């Protein structure tokens, strides 16, 4: 196992709730954190047992005792921070959405390639045992030809996260960049196919401000003919999450699987009745860090690559454009 020394860019909730522990569980060390606020950064470092806090991007990117950078700031900052890390020769695991534009996301990926460093996108859901089991079942023909998918990803944004996501368009707020981006990645992964276009409508259920959408429903068309319906929101207190794929010979019904927790189940329903798929749960973020570490050691690729991050961003941006224009909108390639 390659034990990486990590620098965190962003004194964030996701790092605190999942990623610091995932890094440590993989034998990695978190050696520094960067926050724009010196006091908050120092308090965060102390609370999380991180030796050093800084407010300077060049300092954390250039630190000699840092091998890899995990970026979990607000979305408008990912591009500049990835470029700085890559230029300093650091591997980069970046949060989704990679950026606010495809041009920026492509520039990030190009810079990492030029620097010869590994870049991954932290799409946790393709690490879920439920989604991996669905992907395998489809690949082995269990449901015949897939025809339709349905994604139920309408949740209630906890009050502690009701900040930039609902009131800062310039930070990449809104439910589409936050959640539809994950749907696009999970659909690509499970179906092993590419989305080519999307139709969508967005709404505001009273949480989003400054024109930010807090709910969306839409349909993506995939290059294997599948139509995939998605429903995402920040305002739905009592819904459950799910992911379904319906094929000519059977249906896969995933429940409680669009979540950060290693939970959920999948039923295969066909002419023989119903049977659960075998699902061995593992912490999604621990697996994401493990595959990233392996990739740095020259073994395989991150669970979601940098190119996967461009594709999911393309799906999200096309969804926003489709909602604006009312038209079926093409989804750009990586
Ligand atoms: P947070 O709001 O917790 O953190 C984002 C930034 O906000 C931090 O970098 C920090 O800035 C600032 N901040 C944090 N807490 C405070 C505070 N109390 N007061 C003022 N500023 C604060 O965001 P999340 O952790 O929810 O999301 C960060 C990124 O991770 C996003 O890109 C998001 O899309 C992604 N994400 C991914 C998930 C996944 O499962 N893949 C899940 C959740 C989020 P500074 O660093 O300058 O201190």
């Amino acid at each position: 196992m390659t034990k990486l020394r990590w620098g965190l860019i962003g004194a964030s909730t996701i790092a605190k709730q999942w990623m610091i522990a995932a890094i440590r569980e993989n034998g990695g060390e978190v050696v520094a954190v960067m926050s724009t606020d010196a006091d908050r950064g120092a308090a965060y470092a102390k609370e999380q047992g991180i030796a050093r806090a800084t407010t300077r991007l060049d300092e954390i990117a250039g630190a000699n005792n840092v091998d890899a950078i995990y970026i979990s700031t607000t979305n408008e900052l990912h591009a500049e921070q990835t470029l700085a890390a890559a230029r300093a020769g650091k591997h980069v695991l970046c949060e989704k959405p990679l950026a606010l534009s495809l041009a920026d996301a492509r520039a990030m990926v190009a810079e990492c390639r030029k620097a010869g460093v590994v870049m991954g996108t932290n799409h946790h859901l393709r690490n879920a045992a439920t989604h991996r089991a669905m992907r395998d079942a489809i690949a082995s023909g269990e449901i015949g030809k897939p025809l339709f998918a349905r994604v139920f990803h309408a949740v209630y944004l906890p009050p502690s996260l009701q900040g930039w996501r609902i009131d800062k368009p310039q930070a990449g707020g809104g439910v589409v960049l936050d959640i539809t981006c994950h749907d696009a990645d999970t659909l690509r992964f499970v179906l092993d196919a590419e989305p080519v276009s999307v139709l969508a409508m967005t709404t505001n259920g009273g949480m989003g401000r400054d024109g930010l959408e807090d709910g969306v429903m839409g349909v993506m068309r995939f290059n294997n003919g599948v139509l995939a319906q998605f429903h995402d929101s920040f305002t739905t207190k009592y819904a459950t999450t799910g992911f379904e794929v319906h094929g000519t010979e059977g249906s896969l019904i995933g429940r409680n699987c669009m979540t950060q927790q290693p939970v959920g189940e999948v039923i295969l329903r066909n002419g023989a009745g119903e049977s659960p798929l075998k699902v061995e749960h593992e912490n999604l973020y621990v697996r994401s860090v493990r595959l990233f570490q392996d990739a740095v050691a020259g073994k395989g690729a991150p669970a979601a690559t940098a190119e996967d991050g461009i594709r999911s961003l393309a799906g999200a941006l096309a969804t926003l454009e489709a909602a604006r224009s009312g038209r079926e909108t093409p989804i750009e390639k990586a």
Side-chain angles (χ1 to χ4, degrees):
M1 187 196 285
T2 313
K3 295 189 175 177
L4 295 177
R5 297 165 302 173
W6 290 80
L8 310 184
I9 298 187
S12 68
T13 307
I14 176 76
K16 182 159 62 176
Q17 287 184 341
W18 292 100
M19 291 299 286
I20 293 172
I23 287 169
R24 289 176 175 155
E25 194 154 331
N26 277 291
E29 190 187 349
V30 181
V31 298
V33 59
M34 188 200 117
S35 167
T36 52
D37 182 296
D39 291 342
R40 196 172 62 248
Y44 190 97
K46 187 164 176 228
E47 181 192 280
Q48 299 301 319
I50 301 168
R52 210 165 85 233
T54 177
T55 56
R56 285 180 40 203
L57 178 59
D58 61 341
E59 191 180 313
I60 194 159
N64 286 332
N65 64 344
V66 168
D67 308 306
I69 296 279
Y70 168 60
I71 297 175
S72 63
T73 47
T74 49
N75 303 328
E76 84 285 17
L77 300 172
H78 297 173
E80 172 201 355
Q81 293 164 343
T82 297
L83 294 181
R87 284 173 189 148
K90 305 298 195 262
H91 305 288
V92 178
L93 180 56
C94 185
E95 270 306 340
K96 47 49 66 174
L98 285 189
L100 302 189
S101 73
L102 287 175
D104 277 356
R106 289 183 181 123
M108 294 155 74
V109 177
E111 197 68 38
C112 285
R113 201 171 294 140
K114 189 170 127 198
V117 297
V118 172
M119 180 177 168
T121 310
N122 202 32
H123 275 303
H124 61 302
L125 290 168
R126 57 167 67 208
N127 291 289
T130 44
H131 296 127
R132 287 186 285 123
M134 282 192 269
R135 176 181 161 102
D136 291 347
I138 293 168
S140 58
E142 297 272 16
I143 63 164
K145 180 177 161 45
L147 300 172
F148 300 101
R150 301 196 288 202
V151 183
F152 309 92
H153 206 168
V155 298
Y156 188 72
L157 192 66
S160 61
L161 294 184
Q162 290 177 23
W164 57 271
R165 278 181 178 78
I166 60 167
D167 65 7
K168 281 216 176 67
Q170 69 277 20
V175 76
V176 171
L177 283 172
D178 200 47
I179 299 187
T180 311
C181 182
H182 278 310
D183 298 350
D185 184 67
T186 312
L187 283 163
R188 290 183 62 242
F189 176 73
V190 172
L191 298 170
D192 195 16
E194 293 300 338
V196 291
S197 62
V198 59
L199 257 176
M201 287 187 195
T202 54
T203 186
N204 186 300
M207 195 184 278
R209 293 196 282 277
D210 264 346
L212 278 178
E213 81 291 345
D214 56 25
V216 61
M217 282 185 162
V219 182
M220 282 183 196
R221 188 189 295 281
F222 278 73
N223 62 355
N224 61 354
V226 168
L227 291 182
Q229 184 187 63
F230 55 93
H231 173 203
D232 308 324
S233 94
F234 287 155
T235 53
T236 320
K237 279 188 178 153
Y238 305 109
T240 53
T241 70
F243 192 105
E244 300 176 356
V245 187
H246 303 277
T248 52
E249 310 300 328
S251 288
L252 293 169
I253 317 285
R255 284 291 176 260
N256 194 24
C257 52
M258 301 302 282
T259 165
Q260 295 178 295
Q261 309 287 338
V263 295
E265 58 279 320
V266 185
I267 300 289
L268 169 64
R269 184 182 296 158
N270 58 20
E274 288 189 354
S275 53
L277 293 192
K278 191 161 180 261
V279 163
E280 284 176 23
H281 289 296
E282 177 187 5
N283 181 306
L284 284 59
Y285 298 93
V286 170
R287 186 173 185 276
S288 174
V289 172
R290 187 175 73 240
L291 267 61
F292 184 86
Q293 275 187 185
D294 288 349
V296 169
K299 286 177 278 171
T305 62
E307 288 74 15
D308 290 321
I310 300 181
R311 291 275 190 169
S312 62
L313 175 63
L317 292 175
T319 299
L320 287 170
E321 177 53 29
R324 262 192 298 264
S325 67
R327 295 211 174 87
E328 184 169 346
T329 302
I331 297 176
E332 287 192 41
K333 299 195 170 107

